[in-house]
Amino acid sequence: MSVVVELRHISKRFPGVVANKDVSLKVQSGSVHALVGENGAGKSTVMKILYGMQRPDGGEILVNGQQVNFKNPNEAIEAGIGMVHQHFMLADNFTVLENIILGSEPKKSGQIDFNEARNKISEMANTYGLEINPDELVENLGVGQRQRVEILKVLYRGASILIFDEPTAVLVPQEVDDLFGALHGLREKGMSVIFISHKLDEVLRVADEVTVIRAGSTVAEVKSKDVTSKQLAELMVGSELPKPETKGNTKRENIVLELNQVTVPSKGARNLLSNISFKLHAGEVIGIAGVEGNGQSELTETILGLLEYTGQISFDGKTIDTKSVSERRDLGIGFIPEDRHRQALMLGSPLWENRILGYQRSKPIFNGFILDKKATMQDTQVIMQEFDVRAPGPNTLATALSGGNQQKFIVGREMVHAPKLLVASHPTRGVDVGAQGAIWEELRKAREKGMAIVLISADLEELIGMSDRLLVMLRGEVTAELDPAQTTPEKLGAAMTGAK
Ligand SMILES: Nc1ncnc2c1ncn2[C@@H]1O[C@H](COP(=O)(O)OP(=O)(O)OP(=O)(O)O)[C@@H](O)[C@H]1O
Ligand SMILES: [Mg+2]
């Protein structure tokens, strides 16, 4: 084996922050190399540097033994490096095929040669088990499928070194297996994969080697077979792995949320939601399991009032069917949306302005007359402290936060209002093991105090550990109800795919 990528002593600072102090790593050809570390440790930054999206302040990069100095991603792509981002960068209103070839269209006598593109894509899709309909519009795809498009796009450009930034954060177990199958396929063909993840069990399952970064510096490089996930966690944060679990029964008498035969029709063959009914009490957590795209997002959006539906939804004993989104929010419904970039943040705005989102009529932001900037700034600071959002201050732009710190901020923004009902989609997605434990603790405390929680998660251990009841959704319907105390991730996974 030979070293295909070597980073030596990379450093990078942003105003007020040292993102990389001294990051070194070596990637062997034909291997899967994982990069782990706390939120904000500098993982995404160093990968952006390797991909030419950021310029390092110091250090060296060698690709196949040659020193390189990429000025932009195009130069990295030329050198055979491709990156699949933590947040997909696809054009929604283009088809899969158009997205894949965008910028490197095959031409035949001046025209785009769609046939050639189509053949090449289906060949790649077959080779790597990344099946996809090339003519589907990207806006109609679920997260797992969007990721396939991103991967195909990178392969289409001839990458032999693929960088993945938290590829599994958004996937359900079956999709993770598929992805890992694909990664091992790539490895067998001599390609190299660098992969960032917070899921240490997965890291050990798929990676050959692991580099651990702490506070911007490489602290260890180990072989997967030589360590346990516990040891990895200790290298990362110096503490043990937290567990998702709630204790005892905190369910109260009053029903906070009730859905009765809620249906969301669509123009397609099946309803987006069909006859969903359930009751949720104060102090109770209902977990919604399902393979991405089986109605979970529509369920959350319906409860929030973002989608039209038939049937009845009542909150605190009163119907809310005619209430708008903002009226529902004002009644005490908190929301952690599934896609933090599209639905939860204004990336180009400072944190204090992001603090306002959804709460422009609530104290302390709105004092009855005007938006109180000073109070909002202070409150933003409080959230940042309580939820360990690591960033210079309330004036920092949301885009400058690491992924996990953005997520902690969004969770904090909802939790400080202590909503009666929290609709939480993937609340710990992309946060490190330490922060994950802290968010679970917040949810536990809120449940004890009587918050009703609708929890949607692709992390089955989280769903099972945190929920009092579990509903399984398939094709817009609730197809099973399971007792979390009696189920395992394997059983739940089987129920999610409809297997008996
Ligand atoms: N464009 C930017 N401007 C200013 N600061 C930035 C920028 N990008 C990253 N940072 C800061 O650099 C540090 C490292 O961020 P990075 O995104 O590399 O972390 P990470 O290890 O990927 O974390 P996570 O696991 O949360 O995704 C953080 O403190 C972050 O706030
Ligand atoms: Mg990151």
Side-chain angles (χ1 to χ4, degrees):
M1 272 210 263
S2 57
V3 175
V4 286
V5 170
E6 183 173 357
L7 302 178
R8 289 184 186 155
H9 312 296
I10 298 293
S11 63
K12 172 77 183 174
R13 49 171 67 242
F14 293 108
V17 186
V18 179
N20 291 157
K21 215 179 288 168
D22 181 3
V23 178
S24 297
L25 68 88
K26 273 187 196 168
V27 181
Q28 309 286 336
S29 69
S31 79
V32 177
H33 194 107
L35 196 55
V36 303
E38 283 186 281
N39 292 134
K43 305 177 295 294
S44 295
T45 301
V46 77
M47 287 300 114
K48 285 179 191 160
I49 288 172
L50 174 58
Y51 187 55
M53 286 173 78
Q54 299 273 5
R55 308 293 299 274
D57 295 331
E60 294 171 10
I61 304 174
L62 288 88
V63 176
N64 295 317
Q66 300 285 322
Q67 192 161 340
V68 294
N69 186 3
F70 301 137
K71 284 180 220 54
N72 52 53
N74 287 334
E75 295 186 7
I77 293 166
E78 292 270 295
I81 298 176
M83 181 154 180
V84 177
H85 295 279
Q86 197 167 13
H87 288 275
F88 306 137
M89 301 182 171
L90 301 172
D92 271 358
N93 51 347
F94 281 25
T95 65
V96 167
L97 182 106
E98 288 163 345
N99 264 285
I100 292 174
I101 65 176
L102 193 66
S104 37
E105 294 85 351
K107 295 270 169 65
K108 202 161 94 186
S109 37
Q111 302 276 342
I112 298 180
D113 187 349
F114 282 105
N115 280 335
E116 175 180 341
R118 196 180 297 274
N119 290 339
K120 195 166 158 193
I121 291 167
S122 68
E123 192 187 308
M124 287 181 338
N126 277 333
T127 315
Y128 301 111
L130 295 161
E131 269 159 55
I132 193 100
N133 172 6
D135 300 312
E136 187 66 81
L137 280 181
V138 161
E139 67 182 2
N140 297 333
L141 300 182
V143 183
Q145 289 175 309
R146 281 176 196 238
Q147 183 178 58
R148 286 189 182 180
V149 181
E150 286 275 7
I151 297 172
L152 287 167
K153 189 170 170 129
V154 165
L155 291 172
Y156 189 85
R157 281 158 183 71
S160 60
I161 301 161
L162 281 82
I163 305 169
F164 290 81
D165 196 342
E166 297 192 43
T168 63
V170 292
L171 303 181
V172 296
Q174 183 55 48
E175 292 173 325
V176 172
D177 289 346
D178 291 349
L179 173 68
F180 286 0
L183 296 189
H184 283 152
L186 293 168
R187 177 175 70 177
E188 261 146 45
K189 302 207 163 48
M191 300 196 185
S192 308
V193 171
I194 311 177
F195 137 88
I196 298 174
S197 175
H198 289 293
K199 299 184 184 168
L200 303 182
D201 291 335
E202 278 180 11
V203 163
L204 295 184
R205 180 147 70 96
V206 72
D208 302 298
E209 277 120 35
V210 188
T211 294
V212 184
I213 328 191
R214 199 192 295 165
S217 300
T218 298
V219 293
E221 187 164 318
V222 292
K223 291 208 183 314
S224 290
K225 61 177 172 48
D226 298 339
V227 286
T228 63
S229 54
K230 234 173 134 176
Q231 288 167 327
L232 262 191
E234 278 164 18
L235 285 171
M236 266 174 64
V237 291
S239 66
E240 286 206 11
L241 281 172
K243 278 207 182 66
E245 54 190 11
T246 52
K247 291 213 175 64
N249 186 351
T250 56
K251 182 170 142 182
R252 304 186 183 185
E253 276 295 297
N254 58 310
I255 295 169
V256 175
L257 178 72
E258 179 167 359
L259 273 69
N260 182 21
Q261 300 287 319
V262 170
T263 295
V264 176
S266 84
K267 295 189 193 77
R270 66 164 172 87
N271 291 332
L272 294 172
L273 289 180
S274 277
N275 298 318
I276 309 285
S277 301
F278 63 82
K279 293 183 179 127
L280 176 64
H281 292 253
E284 190 185 18
V285 180
I286 192 160
I288 310 286
V291 175
E292 186 94 32
N294 277 280
Q296 304 92 309
S297 335
E298 289 82 4
L299 177 64
T300 61
E301 290 175 7
T302 305
I303 296 171
L304 262 293
L306 288 156
L307 287 181
E308 291 204 17
Y309 57 91
T310 60
Q312 295 86 39
I313 302 181
S314 55
F315 179 75
D316 246 358
K318 295 191 197 76
T319 167
I320 53 169
D321 296 329
T322 57
K323 299 223 182 292
S324 67
V325 180
S326 55
E327 286 167 332
R328 293 179 193 210
R329 297 280 268 159
D330 292 348
L331 285 174
I333 302 183
F335 186 33
I336 300 172
E338 68 177 8
D339 186 332
R340 59 183 171 237
H341 283 185
R342 275 166 214 262
Q343 297 172 288
L345 293 172
M346 303 179 293
L347 287 173
S349 302
L351 289 176
W352 74 268
E353 285 183 15
N354 276 282
R355 168 66 186 92
I356 300 172
L357 287 185
Y359 293 102
Q360 49 275 32
R361 290 166 309 278
S362 311
K363 282 186 176 160
I365 291 149
F366 184 65
N367 65 14
F369 302 101
I370 51 159
L371 286 180
D372 187 340
K373 179 170 173 191
K374 197 166 157 223
T376 306
M377 295 283 278
Q378 276 170 2
D379 189 69
T380 306
Q381 193 82 56
V382 169
I383 292 178
M384 293 176 71
Q385 256 154 30
E386 278 184 20
F387 290 83
D388 191 28
V389 178
R390 297 191 195 170
N395 280 316
T396 305
L397 301 184
T399 185
L401 265 62
S402 78
N405 281 301
Q406 290 172 344
Q407 183 67 18
K408 288 189 267 177
F409 176 77
I410 295 163
V411 171
R413 181 175 65 195
E414 300 308 304
M415 297 303 271
V416 288
H417 286 277
K420 282 187 193 155
L421 169 67
L422 177 69
V423 179
S425 283
H426 312 283
T428 65
R429 186 177 265 179
V431 308
D432 65 46
V433 288
Q436 205 174 28
I439 292 174
W440 288 332
E441 181 58 23
E442 288 292 332
L443 293 175
R444 265 195 289 272
K445 280 195 289 191
R447 169 180 173 270
E448 267 163 38
K449 288 189 192 141
M451 189 183 286
I453 301 174
V454 177
L455 175 65
I456 291 170
S457 178
D459 179 339
L460 301 189
E461 305 216 351
E462 171 174 273
L463 261 188
I464 292 171
M466 298 300 294
S467 304
D468 295 300
R469 289 160 63 200
L470 282 171
L471 301 182
V472 179
M473 292 191 70
L474 192 60
R475 293 187 278 279
E477 292 176 49
V478 171
T479 50
E481 171 154 6
L482 301 174
D483 175 359
Q486 307 291 332
T487 197
T488 61
E490 291 72 30
K491 282 191 210 165
L492 183 55
M496 285 161 54
T497 54
K500 286 279 152 11

